[in-house]
């Protein structure tokens, strides 16, 4: 690798015209990741920076000219079979991505031509039943000439960024043990950090660290305690065991780590969000009234050891699938005249949390969508005042938000110039909850523990029963009137604790946002539209139909040869239902089938068909 790299990079450097923004011919290292926020010419990590702001200083494309955006080129990423939720990365003239079935690829950003493609050959038929919520993968990491790619069946694989040749492979988890991997790995201090998905199945959630250069296992942090008759892995889990009862460890516990992660090199802390408890209702975990640490929590751990420094649990004793894994966004804000280093999260549970990221101290939490599960938060601790009716039993009751969440994995972004965070939001989501009185825990299967109708033939989610009880009282901003779109983009001021503007389109799942110093918010809408708004006022400046229609991932931006581009992935292609009989024939493509793509856009580009 080291012999090939300099020659290739030199060729790129020579090919760049004079005066072009420097395509730094250096591999991604700790210093470049640390300074990523200042670089308009690259997109080096999932959230643009280790602080996960998705705020680029690029301003060639700006509020005055974004209406001229058109297609530069598009590349077919594969046959699909799930949404393309990945954030592509851009470095040294190359775009790197990963498909829903974990096929990593590199594309020459000047031409749109494939440089390499690497298929980990996941046993799709065996893994599909272990995937709770769609065959998806959210991204890769770049480090020291490597592309580090997760596989949905539980591996981490490092490939040479130039050639796609495998360098190392490490086993993180096994699909046979009901784990999958859907999140993008992150880099911190020479380590690659990854978590596992699947709290709907019987699993004990964890995240783990590996040496990024060799793949050597470094540490693992389980998010829920194991069998108390055996030694606890660390003091944090011994403490957590006090917050459980019964024989929870036989059920798994949940607390998987499948999306939000951030890193502050100065604080020397990695931040991680954890998922719901399993089964969903607390009484089926035999934990009524118990907090169940560290499910639905935000954890801060040391990169070298995985030692827990602090935790904050937005949803103690979760019963509503309020995974608290959503994007963790780090910013430095002045709050009540005092500079604060904060961590922010637009949680599934409908509250927007601002936390001191050095100590875990709660600063504020305001509703940004309709909430009925809680009547508010303790202003000192951030602990919710849960409505008693929300602790549902056997009679169905409607609770907001629903399991899709007020905000889910669709990335938000934070513009340091406007001071606003742009959140893809489902304003009035809900679901009906009732404990399944005939629940029998089953190994190797989904164990929700809530009443559901028969699963639909298309493999979608089984519907809950109609509500019998009156819903608890609602709090939160006034929702858009009946008949108006209830999936919106919310622009929220986290210091003033106010929504400044909101506009129809988006929703908690699918697509996402970036924001730029060109006073722009660029949003991908789940229906395949690429839209742009002025970041300060929310005026719509662009609305492009990409032709992809669904299965959309979030946008990125970068500069190449002095020119700014926008890129995104999207499209579902041919989906095989989760509950299809093993060995059943795969669906066939028709003239209407739209295959998933990586698309790039430029000013005065081609019109879309
Ligand atoms: Ca969940």
């Amino acid at each position: 690798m080291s012999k090939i790299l300099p020659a290739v990079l030199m060729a790129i450097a020579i090919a760049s015209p004079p005066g072009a923004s420097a395509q730094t011919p250096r591999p991604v290292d700790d210093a470049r990741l640390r300074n990523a926020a200042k670089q308009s010419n690259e997109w080096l990590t999932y959230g643009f920076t280790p602080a996960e702001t998705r705020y680029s200083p690029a301003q060639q494309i700006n509020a005055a000219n974004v209406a001229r955006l058109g297609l530069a080129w598009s590349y077919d990423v594969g046959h699909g079979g799930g949404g393309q939720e990945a954030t592509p990365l851009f470095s040294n003239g190359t775009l790197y991505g990963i498909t829903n079935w974990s096929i990593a690829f590199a594309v020459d950003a000047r031409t749109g031509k494939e440089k390499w493609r690497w298929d980990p050959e996941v046993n799709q038929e065996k893994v599909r039943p272990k995937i709770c919520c769609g065959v998806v993968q959210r991204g890769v990491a770049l480090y020291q000439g490597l592309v580090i790619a997760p596989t949905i069946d539980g591996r981490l694989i490092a490939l040479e960024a130039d050639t796609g040749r495998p360098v190392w492979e490490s086993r993180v988890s096994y699909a046979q043990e009901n784990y999958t991997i859907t999140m993008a790995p992150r880099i911190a201090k020479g380590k690659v950090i990854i978590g596992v998905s699947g709290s709907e199945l019987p699993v004990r959630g964890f995240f783990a660290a590996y040496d990024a250069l060799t793949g050597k296992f470094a540490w693992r942090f389980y998010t829920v305690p194991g069998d108390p008759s055996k030694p606890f892995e660390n003091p944090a889990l011994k403490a957590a065991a006090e917050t459980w009862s019964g024989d929870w460890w036989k059920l798994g516990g949940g607390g998987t780590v499948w999306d939000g992660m951030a890193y502050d090199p100065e604080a020397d802390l990695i931040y991680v969000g954890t998922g719901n408890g399993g089964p969903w209702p607390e009484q089926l975990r035999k934990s009524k009234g118990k907090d169940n640490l560290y499910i639905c929590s935000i954890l801060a751990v040391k990169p070298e050891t995985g030692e827990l420094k602090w935790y904050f649990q937005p949803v103690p004793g979760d019963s509503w699938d309020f995974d608290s894994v959503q994007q963790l966004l780090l910013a430095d804000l002045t709050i009540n005249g005092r500079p604060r280093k904060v961590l922010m999260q637009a949680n599934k549970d409908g509250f927007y949390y601002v936390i001191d990221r050095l100590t875990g101290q709660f600063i504020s939490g305001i509703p940004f969508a309709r909430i009925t599960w809680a009547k508010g938060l303790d202003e000192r601790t951030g602990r919710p005042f849960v409505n008693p009716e929300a602790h549902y039993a056997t009679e169905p009751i409607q609770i907001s938000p629903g399991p899709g969440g007020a905000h889910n994995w669709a990335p938000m972004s934070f513009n340091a110039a406007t001071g606003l965070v742009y959140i893809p939001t489902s304003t009035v989501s809900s679901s009906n909850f009732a404990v399944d009185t005939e629940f029998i825990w089953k190994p190797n299967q989904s164990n929700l523990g809530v009443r559901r109708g028969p699963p639909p033939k298309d493999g979608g989610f089984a519907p809950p029963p109609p509500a019998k009880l009156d819903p608890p009282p609602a709090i939160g901003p006034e929702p858009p009137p009946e008949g108006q779109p209830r999936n919106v983009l919310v622009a929220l001021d986290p210091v003033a604790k106010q929504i400044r503007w909101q506009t129809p389109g988006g929703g908690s799942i699918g697509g996402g946002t970036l924001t730029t110093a060109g006073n722009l918010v660029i949003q991908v809408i789940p229906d395949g539209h690429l839209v742009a708004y002025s970041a300060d006022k929310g005026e719509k400046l662009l609305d492009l139909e990409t032709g992809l229609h669904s299965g959309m991932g979030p946008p990125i931006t970068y500069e190449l040869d002095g020119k700014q581009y926008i890129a995104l992935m999207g499209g579902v292609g041919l989906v095989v239902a989760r509950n299809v009989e093993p060995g059943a024939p795969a669906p066939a493509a028709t003239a209407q089938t739209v295959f998933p793509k990586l698309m790039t856009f430029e000013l005065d580009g081609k019109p879309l068909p």
Side-chain angles (χ1 to χ4, degrees):
M1 176 175 70
S2 57
K3 286 205 174 84
I4 300 166
L5 203 58
V8 171
L9 296 174
M10 200 178 290
I12 291 169
I14 290 164
S16 298
S21 67
Q23 287 302 311
T24 330
R26 284 177 293 151
V28 179
D29 59 19
D30 294 333
R32 290 179 72 204
L33 285 169
R34 198 175 178 135
N35 292 315
K38 301 181 191 122
Q39 299 178 9
S40 57
N41 57 337
E42 299 190 288
W43 192 291
L44 300 177
T45 183
Y46 181 73
F48 184 64
T49 75
E52 308 268 325
T53 58
R54 293 182 184 254
Y55 171 52
S56 168
Q59 44 186 311
Q60 191 180 81
I61 298 172
N62 55 49
N65 63 23
V66 70
R68 287 163 37 202
L69 211 61
L71 184 69
W73 51 259
S74 73
Y75 162 76
D76 283 349
V77 304
H79 76 277
Q84 306 304 321
E85 297 187 359
T87 295
L89 304 183
F90 177 79
S91 178
N92 290 329
T94 304
L95 281 155
Y96 300 93
I98 189 164
T99 73
N100 61 305
W101 274 117
S102 321
I103 299 168
F105 61 83
V107 175
D108 183 329
R110 291 187 175 83
T111 62
K113 297 276 181 298
E114 180 179 294
K115 289 175 81 171
W116 54 259
R117 186 175 173 83
W118 193 83
D119 186 346
E121 298 180 338
V122 171
N123 185 334
Q124 299 185 4
E125 200 173 285
K126 292 283 188 239
V127 173
R128 192 179 285 112
K130 305 293 187 178
I131 301 166
C132 105
C133 312
V135 181
V136 298
Q137 203 80 72
R138 290 192 197 83
V140 297
L142 298 178
Y143 194 64
Q144 300 287 16
L146 299 174
V147 175
I148 301 171
T151 69
I152 198 160
D153 61 4
R155 294 170 280 163
L156 264 187
I157 301 173
L159 308 163
E160 280 183 4
D162 282 344
T163 65
R165 279 200 294 261
V167 175
W168 57 257
E169 174 169 333
S170 287
R171 173 59 70 173
V172 178
S173 60
Y174 292 95
Q176 292 91 330
E177 292 179 345
N178 305 309
Y179 293 109
T180 49
I181 295 181
T182 56
M183 71 177 288
R186 314 296 211 279
I187 301 292
K189 242 181 178 174
K191 292 195 170 57
V192 52
I193 321 291
I194 190 78
V196 291
S197 310
S199 288
E200 277 62 42
L201 283 96
V203 295
R204 185 183 180 203
F206 71 84
F207 57 102
Y210 297 80
D211 184 292
L213 297 182
T214 65
K216 185 169 181 283
F217 172 78
W219 50 260
R220 177 183 295 116
F221 187 93
Y222 282 106
T223 58
V224 298
D227 182 348
S229 73
K230 295 178 183 151
F232 292 105
E233 286 87 353
N234 56 53
L237 286 172
K238 185 164 190 285
E242 304 290 319
T243 68
W244 293 76
S245 55
D247 44 7
W248 76 87
W249 66 95
K250 293 180 182 166
L251 309 177
T256 52
V257 173
W258 56 265
D259 185 16
M261 200 172 269
Y263 172 49
D264 180 346
E266 279 168 31
D268 197 32
L269 290 172
I270 298 167
Y271 305 98
V272 176
T274 72
N276 59 280
W280 283 2
E282 58 173 3
Q283 56 267 62
L284 294 186
R285 299 195 300 273
K286 298 172 190 150
S287 281
K288 204 158 173 49
K290 297 274 191 171
D291 287 357
N292 289 174
L293 292 169
Y294 300 93
I295 64 161
C296 300
S297 296
I298 298 167
L299 310 177
V301 304
K302 299 297 277 183
E304 285 91 351
T305 57
E307 181 200 351
L308 183 69
K309 294 311 282 185
W310 59 257
Y311 71 90
F312 174 80
Q313 188 178 39
V315 191
D318 167 58
S319 285
W320 311 276
D321 189 29
F322 287 154
D323 298 85
S324 298
V325 302
Q326 292 73 48
Q327 182 173 351
L328 301 172
L329 197 158
L330 313 184
D332 294 350
L333 303 178
T334 301
I335 297 173
N336 297 328
R338 186 178 153 203
R340 302 295 295 263
K341 291 185 175 294
V342 306
L343 171 154
M344 304 189 281
Q345 185 185 53
N347 195 293
K348 252 189 179 184
D349 74 7
F351 289 101
Y352 189 84
Y353 293 91
V354 181
I355 310 284
D356 183 316
R357 72 172 178 270
L358 303 181
T359 63
Q361 187 203 350
F362 173 76
I363 296 173
S364 68
I366 57 159
F368 65 97
R370 181 192 176 87
I371 292 171
T372 66
W373 72 280
K375 53 171 74 69
L377 304 178
D378 183 303
E379 52 182 55
R380 194 177 56 81
T381 64
R383 191 178 176 91
F385 300 113
V386 179
N387 280 313
E389 308 95 307
H391 289 297
Y392 56 90
T394 54
E395 289 289 287
I397 184 167
Q398 187 189 61
I399 302 291
S400 291
H407 172 237
N408 197 301
W409 66 265
M412 59 184 196
S413 50
F414 175 69
N415 189 309
T418 63
L420 301 178
V421 57
Y422 306 99
I423 312 165
T425 302
S426 296
T427 56
V428 274
S429 72
S430 67
S431 186
N432 298 341
F433 288 89
V435 174
D436 179 4
T437 47
E438 280 144 48
F439 175 71
I440 298 167
W441 184 89
K442 299 184 204 79
N444 302 315
Q445 297 189 27
S446 182
N447 281 292
L448 299 189
V450 291
R451 272 167 62 192
R452 286 287 146 114
K457 289 218 164 35
D458 67 2
F461 292 105
K468 289 264 174 61
L469 302 172
D470 291 336
I475 59 167
E478 201 57 42
E482 201 77 50
Q484 296 290 311
R486 294 183 154 201
N487 288 335
V488 303
L489 179 65
V490 166
L492 183 143
D493 180 335
V495 174
K497 296 182 276 184
Q498 281 175 2
I499 292 174
R500 292 294 186 206
W501 54 262
Q502 66 179 51
T503 187
S508 66
I509 297 174
T513 71
L514 71 89
T515 183
T516 74
N519 190 29
L520 285 178
V521 183
I522 312 253
Q523 184 184 19
V524 174
I525 309 279
D527 68 2
H529 283 247
L530 176 65
V531 295
Y533 304 98
S534 61
D536 53 355
K537 300 206 175 77
E539 297 153 319
K540 195 186 236 187
L541 305 170
L542 170 80
D543 191 342
L544 277 182
E545 164 59 76
T546 63
L548 290 170
H549 308 310
S550 63
M552 303 303 292
I556 66 161
T557 190
Y558 56 89
E559 290 167 356
L560 174 63
D561 303 336
K563 188 170 175 183
Q564 188 185 353
Y565 295 84
I566 309 289
L568 59 88
M569 287 175 61
V572 296
L574 299 170
V575 179
V576 180
R578 181 169 171 270
N579 51 4
V580 76
E581 292 295 321
T590 68
Q592 282 73 45
T593 306
V594 177
F595 286 98
K597 289 179 173 52
L598 166 68
M599 303 177 84
T600 63
F601 300 85
E602 61 187 349
L603 291 180
D604 306 315
K606 291 173 274 195
L608 285 144

